Amino acid sequence: MEKNKSIFYSDKESSLFAEKNICFILTSRYGGLSQSPYDSLNLAYHTGDDPNAVSQNRKLINQIFFPTKKLLWLDQTHSDDILDIQNKPYINGFISQGDALICEDKKFAAMILVADCNPILIYESKAQIFALIHAGRVGIQKSILTKTIQNILKKPQTKIENFLVFIGASIRKCCYEISKDLSESFPQKYILKNNSSHKLDMIAMLQDELLKNNIHPNQTQILPNCSCCQKELFSYRRDNITGRFALIAWLK
Ligand SMILES: [Zn+2]
């Protein structure tokens, strides 16, 4: 089957998630209705794009990929606020501010928006609970990944060995230059120095954080793609005024 151009990657291509009871899609920037510089599948309202185009884009994705599910989303603020969507009220799918969602209800699809930050899916494959996380540099420094893992582990019958993790495209060490001052706030093993430039390796930080939580590489899939290098994706670093792509997940 030919891949839909709106999809950059999905569970269908993943051997780690094969035969599992969860679906996910990582969207591309193609196949939507937004005009330049948001062309064309921008899924975020806060970017300055025409809100009607964003609504249409979301509807399009909803109808094609998860027509029976209600799409839920957050106002992301680079916080470490984690929302358990169990019994949370929502308006038009919007829940509240926050940067991670925990879901165990088949009625919903959950969405995290990014353009260089890390979109992360965590799935407890036996208890069938998942979380989506928006983790940029600030979220990583606030340990939103570890805090989300700990929140899932508070639920009955959850075990770290049942966890599967997917990290989608994000800005990588090839492109993520930060100031010297900022670079000094990180352990130096995560900084690549080249003459006067300092580049941050967020993936190495996330890999170490997963290991610290006893989640091993064989439970983890990390896409190799850099959002800033990849023209099929929105990149804030590359284009500044631009759209957002999304990691969306739902239980079968
Ligand atoms: Zn790059």
Side-chain angles (χ1 to χ4, degrees):
M1 202 173 81
E2 201 189 323
K3 190 162 144 183
N4 185 298
K5 65 178 181 225
S6 302
I7 299 299
F8 187 77
Y9 190 84
S10 79
D11 63 279
K12 306 267 181 296
E13 299 169 71
S14 166
S15 52
L16 189 65
F17 284 84
E19 314 289 314
K20 296 290 183 289
N21 219 21
I22 190 165
C23 296
F24 68 83
I25 55 173
L26 187 69
T27 61
S28 78
R29 69 180 297 165
Y30 300 136
L33 299 167
S34 296
Q35 303 296 308
S36 176
Y38 309 102
D39 50 314
S40 61
L41 190 65
N42 169 40
L43 294 170
Y45 287 114
H46 67 276
T47 54
D49 189 6
D50 172 4
N52 290 321
V54 178
S55 297
Q56 301 263 22
N57 290 341
R58 288 184 175 196
K59 234 181 242 163
L60 211 73
I61 293 295
N62 206 329
Q63 279 165 4
I64 298 172
F65 298 102
F66 41 94
T68 63
K69 313 279 180 182
K70 177 77 190 169
L71 180 63
L72 299 182
W73 52 287
L74 299 171
D75 179 9
Q76 299 169 190
T77 61
H78 300 279
S79 70
D80 55 0
D81 295 335
I82 301 158
L83 278 292
D84 191 328
I85 65 187
Q86 208 74 327
N87 307 317
K88 281 271 176 337
Y90 54 84
I91 300 165
N92 276 333
F94 169 66
I95 303 179
S96 71
Q97 289 193 338
D99 289 273
L101 281 161
I102 297 176
C103 180
E104 51 192 301
D105 190 327
K106 290 185 177 169
K107 284 200 299 288
F108 301 124
M111 172 168 75
I112 284 292
L113 298 159
V114 287
D116 290 338
C117 289
N118 296 280
I120 305 175
L121 167 66
I122 299 173
Y123 179 47
E124 209 297 4
S125 58
K126 296 264 159 59
Q128 303 197 18
I129 300 167
F130 73 91
L132 288 178
I133 308 171
H134 163 245
R137 170 178 57 77
V138 176
I140 293 173
Q141 284 186 303
K142 291 177 181 169
S143 301
I144 191 170
L145 174 60
T146 295
K147 289 171 184 169
T148 307
I149 292 167
Q150 287 166 348
N151 271 23
I152 298 174
L153 286 173
K154 282 184 204 148
K155 288 176 175 278
Q157 261 123 47
T158 53
K159 288 194 188 120
I160 202 77
E161 62 259 37
N162 298 334
F163 277 45
L164 297 175
V165 177
F166 171 79
I167 304 179
S170 54
I171 190 166
R172 299 292 159 90
K173 61 185 177 187
C174 44
C175 294
Y176 194 16
E177 189 165 345
I178 58 175
S179 71
K180 183 173 183 295
D181 274 2
L182 186 55
S183 77
E184 284 163 2
S185 68
F186 291 93
Q188 290 306 293
K189 64 173 173 169
Y190 301 127
I191 304 292
L192 282 89
K193 282 185 206 142
N194 191 356
N195 299 323
S196 61
S197 97
H198 297 75
K199 286 176 177 158
L200 178 63
D201 188 350
M202 288 195 290
I203 291 296
M205 296 182 79
L206 291 170
Q207 284 172 319
D208 283 352
E209 196 174 344
L210 288 169
L211 275 176
K212 257 189 217 152
N213 284 285
N214 290 313
I215 296 177
H216 295 279
N218 65 1
Q219 294 168 267
T220 305
Q221 177 182 9
I222 302 175
L223 282 194
N225 310 89
C226 171
S227 48
C228 191
C229 290
Q230 202 86 38
K231 67 176 186 348
E232 300 94 324
L233 298 170
F234 295 111
S235 168
Y236 181 78
R237 176 58 66 105
R238 184 185 64 220
D239 297 326
N240 195 5
I241 299 171
T242 191
R244 299 290 181 275
F245 61 99
L247 180 61
I248 304 171
W250 61 95
L251 294 168
K252 280 182 190 163

